[in-house]
């Protein structure tokens, strides 16, 4: 046999190349696993080439390290075939690793195929020597080399599959795995070489003259290293780019989520908005229809919110809304939807089966909201009016349920606020009635359907009469007498209140003239001004002209402005009130105590009178808090030199109590209902006392 020997530095280089090729292969496997679409194919092709070239050049460098005492050479086409086999095996290996799963059977099959491929490459490469006589292989070592190739391939596949995903440990683990794989591949090669026996007298058919194998080794090493380095660098750069793309995609997804959130939620309170509510309501309807269950839809509107806004401005109002939302959320259950429709309107979609449960839940909300709020250091009080519609009894369509809950809410408001009200079919009739009413209202003034009633205002406790409050009534041709609460809000909305208010002022003054002439020179007549009238540019001129027309001194006219109207845009209000005051007209702050006047502002207010809101009088004799408020208002009036009037006096107890608290004048059903001018005169006794009020 010819004695073969190996050049030890080339052997070492072949081992390094094997390790590097293994590392590259593992890295490529990771790329293929995480890359998407087309890119995965490119990585597979490029990776297979890099890995194939790597394994093959390891083999070829090892061959170049091999020396026989005869000249050696390699047949080019056969060598090329061995390279192709290496690339094909690599492609198969990378493809397997890139699969979602790697079951044992596929791993075993893959190991066999790839092992066979590597062995095939090796022995094809050996065949490129074109020895004659042929190389003899020792069967045991030959088989061992193939077993090593298969085992090495199996191990490599398994490791590569498990190290495909990026993580912090993947690089050191890959490096370790690459060493094992490199050693295994080299082991296979040298086992194969050990199996080879070259009979004495063999000649190498591919030997070429003057072909410097050392030079060839350098070229192959450089080319291989370059290929592997390019593959690795590209891979690293691609990982970075992928990471950046992933980050961009993530922030895009986040932005998208944020946008969706914004589109479906109220900016201020973060509650669902109308869009989301309608969606949930649709689902609730579908579900209830399928399962034959019921649910409740509640419309909630805050009472007294406008006063807060007017007094403290929108930032405080907004903060209050946020707090209100928080309380409602804390009161309802997680499966209920509470949405804000804008302003101070909230809607609750509650999965309750029975109206009683709905009522209990609504009561809970009512109680929660009634508690005072602390907002920016102030104590604020509001209440809620809640209208409830039940599915399916009060409607099976989204629109019907919403409209009916809304109608019920308006009813709750009309019932005196801070209360709940279930929908009833008659409420809807009201909506149509209201529309008709607005149309009739336009004609009411021309047709002379409005009249004024007068309610006496008495010196506490029982007279004499110091003046009257003019209260408008509408004598409707078919519906009879309609109270102002039923049409003043509509008149406000449509602007009709301005001509209507002018008529009321004129009529009240005309009546006043009549009374003066009839011998009541000390009376004053009070006329209510709505917010729109109060703000109207022509107010001052109208008042002046009207007084002049009836030859009245301004001092016998009192204009009643509600506290919240006076507080809205405080500086502008102050200007208007000043002009009226300078003219000599008396100003009365109506419904006092429901708004949030600041003391500072009150001090500057050129008012003559504070009218305590009816709400405080109602339970006065039972509610100590109300009594405290009334006596505080009286004290305030004293300090600011204002007359204090209590309205809504219905019982002798209240009359007595208010007198003792120090109210200057009283007004209420006990002392005299609103009545016609003739009735008023008729009910007077000689000393301007009311006949039945004494
Ligand atoms: P307001 O200015 O607070 O008027 C007092 C209301 O209380 C009147 O209701 C009066 O009838 C009622 N009232 C008087 N004494 C008692 C009592 O002892 N118990 C109870 N429960 N109520 C009593 P009315 O006439 O229905 O007016 C309601 C509101 O409509 C008025 O509240 C006022 O804001 C508005 N209003 C009435 N007339 C006019 C008007 O001519 N112009 C404008 N702009 N608004 C008016
Ligand atoms: Ca009034
Ligand atoms: Ca009032």
């Amino acid at each position: 046999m010819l004695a073969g020997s190996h050049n030890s530095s080339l052997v070492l280089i072949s081992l390094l190349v094997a390790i590097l090729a293994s590392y590259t292969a593992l890295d490529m496997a990771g790329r293929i696993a995480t890359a998407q679409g087309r890119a995965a194919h490119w990585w597979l092709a490029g990776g297979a080439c890099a890995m194939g070239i790597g394994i093959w050049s390891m083999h070829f460098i090892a061959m170049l390290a091999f020396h026989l005492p005869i000249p050696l050479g390699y047949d080019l086409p056969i060598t090329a075939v061995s390279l192709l086999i290496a690339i094909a095996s690599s492609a198969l290996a990378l493809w397997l690793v890139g699969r979602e799963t790697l079951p044992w059977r596929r791993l075993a099959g893959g190991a066999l195929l790839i092992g066979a491929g590597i062995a095939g490459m090796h022995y094809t490469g050996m065949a490129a020597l074109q020895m004659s006589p042929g190389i003899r292989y020792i069967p045991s070592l030959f088989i061992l080399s193939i077993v090593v190739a298969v085992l090495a391939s199996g191990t490599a596949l398994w490791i590569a599959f498990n190290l495909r995903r990026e993580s912090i440990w993947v690089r050191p683990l890959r490096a370790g795995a690459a060493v094992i794989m490199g050693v295994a591949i080299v082991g296979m090669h040298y086992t194969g070489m050990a199996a080879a026996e070259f009979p004495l007298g063999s000649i190498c058919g591919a030997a070429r003259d003057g072909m410097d194998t050392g030079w060839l080794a350098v070229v192959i090493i450089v080319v291989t290293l370059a290929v592997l380095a390019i593959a690795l660098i590209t891979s690293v750069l691609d990982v970075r780019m992928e990471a950046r793309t992933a980050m961009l995609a993530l922030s895009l997804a986040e932005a998208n989520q944020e946008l969706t959130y914004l589109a479906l939620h109220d900016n201020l309170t973060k509650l669902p908005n109308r869009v989301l509510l309608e969606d949930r309501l649709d689902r609730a309807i579908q579900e209830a229809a399928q399962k034959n269950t019921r649910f409740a839809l509640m419309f909630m509107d805050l009472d007294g919110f406008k006063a807060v806004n007017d007094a403290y401005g929108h930032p405080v109002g907004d903060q209050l809304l946020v707090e209100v939302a928080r309380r409602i959320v804390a009161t309802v259950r997680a499966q209920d939807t509470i949405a804000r429709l804008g302003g101070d309107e909230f809607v609750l979609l509650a999965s309750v089966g029975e109206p009683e449960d709905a009522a209990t839940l609504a009561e809970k909300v009512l109680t929660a909201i009634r508690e005072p709020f602390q907002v920016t250091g102030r104590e604020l009080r509001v209440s809620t009016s809640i209208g409830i519609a039940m599915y399916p009894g009060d409607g099976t369509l989204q629109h019907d349920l919403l409209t009916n809950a809304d109608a019920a809410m308006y009813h709750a408001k009309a019932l005196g606020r801070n209360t709940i009200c279930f929908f009833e079919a008659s409420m809807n009739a009201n909506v149509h009635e209201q529309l008709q009413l607005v149309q009739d209202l336009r004609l009411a003034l021309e047709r002379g359907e409005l009249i004024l009633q007068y309610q006496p205002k008495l010196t506490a406790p029982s007279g004499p009469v110091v003046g009257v409050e003019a209260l408008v009534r509408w004598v409707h041709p078919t519906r009879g007498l309609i109270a102002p609460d039923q049409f003043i809000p509509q008149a406000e909305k449509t602007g009709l209140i301005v001509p209507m208010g002018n008529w009321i002022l004129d009529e009240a003054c005309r009546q006043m003239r009549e009374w003066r002439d009839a011998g009541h020179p000390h009376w004053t007549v009070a006329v209510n001004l709505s917010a729109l009238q109060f703000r109207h540019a022509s107010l001052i001129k109208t008042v002046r002209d009207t007084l002049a027309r009836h030859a009245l001194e301004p001092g016998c006219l009192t204009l009643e402005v509600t506290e919240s109207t006076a507080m809205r845009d405080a500086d502008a209000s102050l200007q208007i009130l000043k002009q009226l005051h300078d003219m000599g007209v008396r100003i009365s702050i109506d419904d006092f105590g429901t708004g949030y006047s600041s003391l500072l502002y009150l001090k500057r207010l050129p008012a003559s009178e504070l009218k305590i809101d009816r709400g405080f009088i109602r339970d006065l004799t039972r509610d100590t808090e109300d009594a405290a408020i009334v006596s505080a208002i009286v004290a305030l009036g004293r300090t600011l030199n204002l007359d204090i009037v209590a309205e809504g006096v219905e019982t002798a107890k209240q009359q007595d109590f208010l007198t003792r608290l120090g109210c200057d004048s009283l007004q209420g059903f006990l002392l005299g209902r609103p009545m016609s001018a003739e009735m008023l005169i008729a009910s007077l006794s000689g000393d301007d006392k009311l006949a039945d009020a004494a």
Side-chain angles (χ1 to χ4, degrees), residues 260-275:
T260 319
Y261 184 87
L262 285 179
L264 296 179
H265 290 81
D266 165 45
N267 232 345
L268 179 66
T269 60
K270 307 293 174 228
L271 293 180
N273 62 12
R274 184 183 285 276
V275 180

Side-chain angles (χ1 to χ4, degrees), residues 613-649:
D613 188 63
R614 285 207 296 288
F616 298 111
I617 312 298
R618 198 168 41 207
D619 300 323
L620 184 66
T621 47
R622 274 175 284 130
D623 190 329
T624 52
E625 202 176 313
D626 282 351
I629 290 172
V630 172
S631 74
I633 295 176
V634 171
L636 185 71
R638 287 266 155 77
T639 320
L640 299 179
N641 217 357
L642 300 172
D643 282 344
I644 303 296
V645 184
E647 60 177 345
V649 183

Side-chain angles (χ1 to χ4, degrees), residues 163-399:
L163 287 183
R164 344 178 258 175
R165 307 273 170 200
E166 292 291 329
S167 77
I168 29 170
W169 290 111
V170 84
R171 284 191 187 275
L173 284 175
R174 259 183 207 166
V179 172
I180 297 172
M181 280 169 63
V183 170
I185 293 169
V186 169
M188 179 268 144
H189 176 86
Y190 289 104
T191 314
M193 289 308 287
E197 285 184 331
F198 300 88
L200 278 175
S202 294
I203 49 162
C204 173
R208 291 210 188 105
D209 323 296
M211 177 75 173
D212 182 353
T213 50
W215 179 82
L216 194 60
V218 170
V219 170
I220 288 179
I221 290 166
V222 168
V223 168
T224 305
L225 289 181
V227 167
L228 295 180
I230 288 170
L232 275 178
I233 289 169
T234 318
S235 166
V236 168
L237 290 182
D238 189 62
V239 166
R240 293 223 180 124
M241 209 157 87
E242 206 172 64
R244 202 167 306 154
T245 314
M247 234 160 68
L248 274 176
L250 190 73
S251 45
L252 202 67
E254 272 169 6
N256 245 326
Q257 220 171 4
E258 175 84 16
L259 271 180
T260 319
Y261 184 87
L262 285 179
L264 296 179
H265 290 81
D266 165 45
N267 232 345
L268 179 66
T269 60
K270 307 293 174 228
L271 293 180
N273 62 12
R274 184 183 285 276
V275 180
L276 187 54
L277 171 76
E278 285 175 355
D279 181 60
R280 299 251 172 103
L281 185 53
D282 262 342
R283 280 192 223 176
I285 290 175
Q286 277 176 19
E287 197 185 303
Q290 263 173 17
K291 298 187 184 162
N292 223 350
T293 53
R294 296 198 266 184
F295 67 84
L297 188 73
M298 308 190 193
F299 233 94
M300 309 179 168
D301 192 284
L302 297 184
D303 315 316
F305 176 71
K306 221 167 105 182
V308 173
N309 244 352
D310 293 343
Y312 296 127
H314 287 281
V316 174
D318 284 356
Q319 197 53 42
L320 177 63
L321 285 175
V322 172
E323 297 295 329
V324 166
R326 224 175 258 161
R327 273 200 203 163
I328 303 179
V329 169
T331 310
V332 302
R333 296 153 308 170
Q335 68 263 38
D336 301 332
T337 296
I338 173 80
R340 176 173 172 238
L341 298 196
D344 54 354
E345 277 187 356
F346 296 87
V347 171
L348 175 62
L349 174 61
S351 49
V352 288
E354 299 300 322
E356 293 78 56
D357 301 335
T360 313
L361 184 61
E363 286 287 354
K364 265 197 208 158
V365 174
L366 226 56
T367 314
I369 304 289
R370 208 162 29 208
E371 291 298 311
F373 289 88
Q374 299 293 336
V375 175
T376 55
R378 297 179 176 91
E379 188 178 278
L380 302 177
R381 285 165 189 273
V382 283
S383 57
T384 2
S385 298
I386 304 182
I388 308 175
M390 296 291 298
Y391 174 93
D394 301 332
T396 51
L397 299 177
Q398 194 191 87
H399 172 261

